[in-house]
Amino acid sequence: MLLIGDYLPSMTVQTTQGIKHLPEDYKGKWLILFSHPGDFTPVCTTEFVSFARNSETFKQLNTELLGLSVDQVQPHMKWIEWIKDCLGEEIPFPIIADPMGKVANELGMIQPAKPSATVRAVFFVDPDSKIRMILYYPAEVGRNMEEIIRSLVALQIATENKVAMPANWPNNELIGNQVIVPVANDIEEAKKNAEMYEHYDWWFAYKPLES
């Protein structure tokens, strides 16, 4: 089972938009790789519509979307067609067909108690192909797109600025939309942080994002 900090394994997959090579085809971009229990299911349909309607936001964040389930490619294609015809929504991103469950098993997206379906997993993969965050949802609860986007933005900012993000960022109860300065590793650095930044203590300093 893959963990945060692991690299996305190399694999060649069949998708609704042709063959994809992971992670090579997504180098230099962020990737949201997500699995769903099955095509033609109501919760999954609502999720795919939400991903589609937010696809431009992901694109602006230099992020590609890639779905996956243990269905064959033809059901994927028919489901996409149904969503377009019946709901008026074009699905712009590819979906991996994984009828044997090989990809899903390698990524830890299969529950042992229900091997015939993938869980609702979300993998946040950075431009260097490293897995930075993993979310799991049960079959009966759909994903929150606002939280996925919030988490993606927070990860990107934390990575670029070498800071940490507080709870509920950008609406944290203590420091609002400010970010947390890395904890000092020695006394001199602790003193410097206390002089440069606002703080509750030497181990809890924070600053506006722009400074």
Side-chain angles (χ1 to χ4, degrees):
M1 186 172 181
L2 293 174
L3 300 173
I4 292 172
D6 290 342
Y7 286 92
L8 191 67
S10 295
M11 56 183 78
T12 300
V13 296
Q14 173 70 56
T15 81
T16 52
Q17 296 182 12
I19 297 296
K20 298 288 184 183
H21 303 281
L22 301 179
E24 290 78 12
D25 289 349
Y26 297 94
K27 287 278 190 181
K29 293 188 175 184
W30 287 77
L31 171 66
I32 299 291
L33 171 58
F34 62 98
S35 57
H36 64 282
D39 300 341
F40 294 100
T41 54
V43 176
C44 298
T45 300
T46 64
E47 289 183 318
F48 267 65
V49 169
S50 188
F51 271 117
R53 290 186 178 178
N54 285 280
S55 60
E56 189 59 36
T57 297
F58 286 108
K59 189 174 295 184
Q60 291 171 2
L61 293 169
N62 190 36
T63 302
E64 298 288 336
L65 298 172
L66 181 60
L68 180 152
S69 81
V70 292
D71 296 288
Q72 296 185 21
V73 71
Q74 290 83 8
H76 282 341
M77 294 163 58
K78 186 64 180 177
W79 186 38
I80 290 173
E81 183 183 81
W82 185 92
I83 291 173
K84 181 180 179 181
D85 292 345
C86 298
L87 304 179
E89 200 66 49
E90 188 97 38
I91 302 301
F93 49 84
I95 311 171
I96 295 172
D98 187 31
M100 303 302 293
K102 182 179 178 181
V103 177
N105 271 301
E106 187 164 357
L107 296 175
M109 293 175 164
I110 299 284
Q111 286 185 329
K114 195 175 182 181
S116 61
T118 41
V119 297
R120 298 187 197 285
V122 186
F123 285 69
F124 296 70
V125 184
D126 71 17
D128 295 322
S129 306
K130 182 182 287 187
I131 297 169
R132 301 292 300 280
M133 182 172 174
I134 304 172
L135 299 174
Y136 287 101
Y137 295 75
E140 64 271 21
V141 177
R143 284 166 274 221
N144 185 316
M145 209 57 53
E146 291 181 358
E147 172 58 14
I148 291 174
I149 293 171
R150 186 200 76 91
S151 298
L152 174 64
V153 172
L155 275 172
Q156 291 182 345
I157 290 174
T159 301
E160 183 177 348
N161 296 276
K162 294 181 173 58
V163 294
M165 316 303 285
N168 301 319
W169 182 87
N171 301 302
N172 178 257
E173 293 82 354
L174 293 175
I175 63 174
N177 65 353
Q178 299 185 90
V179 296
I180 297 171
V181 176
V183 179
N185 290 314
D186 56 55
I187 294 173
E188 285 303 315
E189 186 180 4
K191 289 180 179 178
K192 183 179 178 181
N193 285 352
E195 293 170 358
M196 291 180 60
Y197 308 114
E198 293 186 71
H199 57 279
Y200 286 105
D201 208 327
W202 65 266
W203 49 268
F204 191 168
Y206 54 93
K207 65 175 182 175
L209 181 59
E210 61 272 12
S211 64

